[in-house]
Amino acid sequence: MRLVLLGPPGAGKGTQAKVLSDELGVPHVSTGDLFRANMGDETPLGLEAKRYVDAGELVPDRVTNEMVRDRLGDADAQAGFLLDGFPRTTGQAEVLASILADLDQQLDAVLAFVVDEEVVVARMLARGRADDNEDVIRHRLEVYRTETAPLLDYYADIVTTVAAEGEVEEISARALAALDPKRV
Ligand code: AMP
């Protein structure tokens, strides 16, 4: 299965992505995790990404799109993947379409996690990641509203919404139920 997870920062995409990737047997590809790993290792890509990640800005497409193209070309992603945090703009969605066309693949589903903004702010403040101070959180939400939310329309044909409030297990059950018709 080739799946994209959408939803605002703090919607629990990362947590759900781990559950779903185990359940579906496909690798979890998180651009945020890839950036953080590169930042931790102080690679050139990580050093370039850091100032954007710290400010809650999108890392430039030139860096992000190539990183995703490389990752989706890896052997373990050929039978399916779960993308978390990419695409974040309609431009990136078009790049994803072209990466998949080159691989002779297509997306099976897009799950969009829906959650109240104040709930996600509270969750992120509790999580305490380096880019989780309140100003940066509010900025990431603003970037989500303006840049990423239009993807709900872009993917209107294949998107399914999932209510992302409540216990982790309940949300996973809803997500898997939403995917069920698409799992053959
Ligand atoms: P996340 O872990 O998905 O919340 O991402 C953390 C940060 O990584 C974001 O605030 C951005 O700075 C950067 N990032 C992650 N995915 C992307 C993307 N698709 N495009 C640009 N920047 C991204």
Side-chain angles (χ1 to χ4, degrees), residues 26-31 33-34 38 63-78 80-83 86 96 99-100 103 105:
V26 294
H28 171 204
V29 177
S30 157
T31 43
D33 286 351
L34 290 170
N38 276 279
V63 178
T64 307
N65 292 340
E66 282 318 295
M67 181 177 80
V68 172
R69 185 181 285 279
D70 283 352
R71 181 65 188 88
L72 293 185
D74 287 346
D76 69 328
Q78 298 320 299
F81 54 77
L82 189 161
L83 262 178
F86 186 94
L96 176 61
I99 293 172
L100 294 181
L103 293 166
Q105 298 174 0

Side-chain angles (χ1 to χ4, degrees), residues 31-32 35-36 52-53 56-59 64 85-86 88 92 129 131 140:
T31 43
F35 286 131
R36 284 184 288 276
Y52 300 98
V53 172
E57 299 283 358
L58 296 183
V59 178
T64 307
F86 186 94
R88 254 177 161 90
Q92 290 183 355
R129 215 168 69 187
D131 55 343
R140 297 216 311 270

Side-chain angles (χ1 to χ4, degrees), residues 10-13 15-16 113-116 119-120 123 162-174:
K13 289 192 302 297
T15 305
Q16 293 302 327
F113 290 97
V114 179
V115 60
D116 182 81
V119 171
V120 301
R123 270 190 200 165
V162 175
E165 286 174 40
E167 298 298 319
V168 170
E169 294 76 15
E170 288 173 57
I171 303 168
S172 306
R174 276 183 222 130

